[in-house]
């Protein structure tokens, strides 16, 4: 396992920035250990998978968790607004960093992670391959 630390800056897309970093550094299997910072535009897919939230509003990043495979990231975001109200959901492209996002990823070199269509869920789901 190997840690990677990156910082996204104002105007960067949070999800796309993480995926781009992984592509540039040939990281095909990883998890998000931590992320702090803030966003000024938020795009989430909500529970149930049918509704989407898009807000142009400041949020502190309270949590970002998920896995990254060769087929992309599966990330869940929680953020709190100026009143401390917290919202969360499935992070989608279009969530824009405000001043900073400090991210620590853990590369999982003992695993090869992929995503394949799961007929039971209707989504591409994580498939875990243990490396020798």
């Amino acid at each position: 396992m190997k840690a990677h630390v990156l910082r996204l800056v104002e105007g960067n897309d949070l999800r796309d920035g993480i995926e781009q970093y992984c592509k540039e550094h040939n990281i095909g299997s990883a998890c998000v250990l931590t992320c702090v910072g803030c966003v000024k535009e938020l795009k989430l897919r909500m529970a149930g998978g049918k509704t989407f939230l898009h807000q142009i509003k400041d949020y502190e990043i309270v949590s970002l968790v998920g896995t990254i495979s060769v087929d992309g990231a599966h990330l869940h975001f929680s953020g709190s607004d100026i009143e401390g109200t917290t919202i969360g959901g499935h992070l989608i492209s279009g969530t824009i960093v405000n001043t900073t996002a400090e991210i620590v990823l853990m590369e999982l070199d003992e695993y090869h992670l992929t995503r394949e269509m799961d007929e039971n869920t209707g989504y591409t789901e994580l498939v875990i391959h243990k490396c020798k």
Side-chain angles (χ1 to χ4, degrees):
M1 290 194 275
K2 178 181 175 186
H4 293 261
V5 181
L6 64 140
R7 178 176 176 241
L8 300 176
V9 298
E10 184 175 3
N12 290 150
D13 185 296
L14 183 57
R15 180 189 174 98
D16 293 353
I18 292 169
E19 289 183 330
Q20 184 62 37
Y21 179 90
C22 289
K23 284 179 186 173
E24 289 174 1
H25 293 86
N26 200 29
I27 301 168
S29 300
C31 64
V32 177
L33 290 181
T34 192
C35 176
V36 295
C38 53
V39 298
K40 60 184 177 182
E41 185 169 354
L42 180 61
K43 287 190 177 181
L44 300 174
R45 188 185 77 215
M46 306 310 286
K50 295 184 174 133
T51 59
F52 294 85
L53 173 78
H54 178 208
Q55 292 185 343
I56 298 174
K57 182 176 175 180
D58 292 335
Y59 284 95
E60 289 291 323
I61 300 168
V62 190
S63 175
L64 183 68
V65 297
T67 55
I68 297 138
S69 75
V70 294
D71 301 310
H74 182 186
L75 303 171
H76 286 193
F77 173 96
S78 295
S80 67
D81 65 15
I82 195 166
E83 288 90 28
T85 302
T86 302
I87 191 163
H90 179 91
L91 184 70
I92 58 176
S93 295
T95 297
I96 307 301
V97 173
N98 193 352
T99 57
T100 194
E102 303 165 4
I103 303 155
V104 180
L105 303 174
M106 180 62 69
E107 185 175 1
L108 305 170
D109 52 11
E110 295 179 14
Y111 297 92
H112 177 71
L113 304 179
T114 61
R115 298 192 187 284
E116 296 177 13
M117 179 55 73
D118 183 323
E119 298 301 324
N120 293 320
T121 67
Y123 293 102
T124 55
E125 301 289 2
L126 188 67
V127 177
I128 305 157
H129 308 274
K130 180 86 168 144
C131 298
K132 293 180 181 184

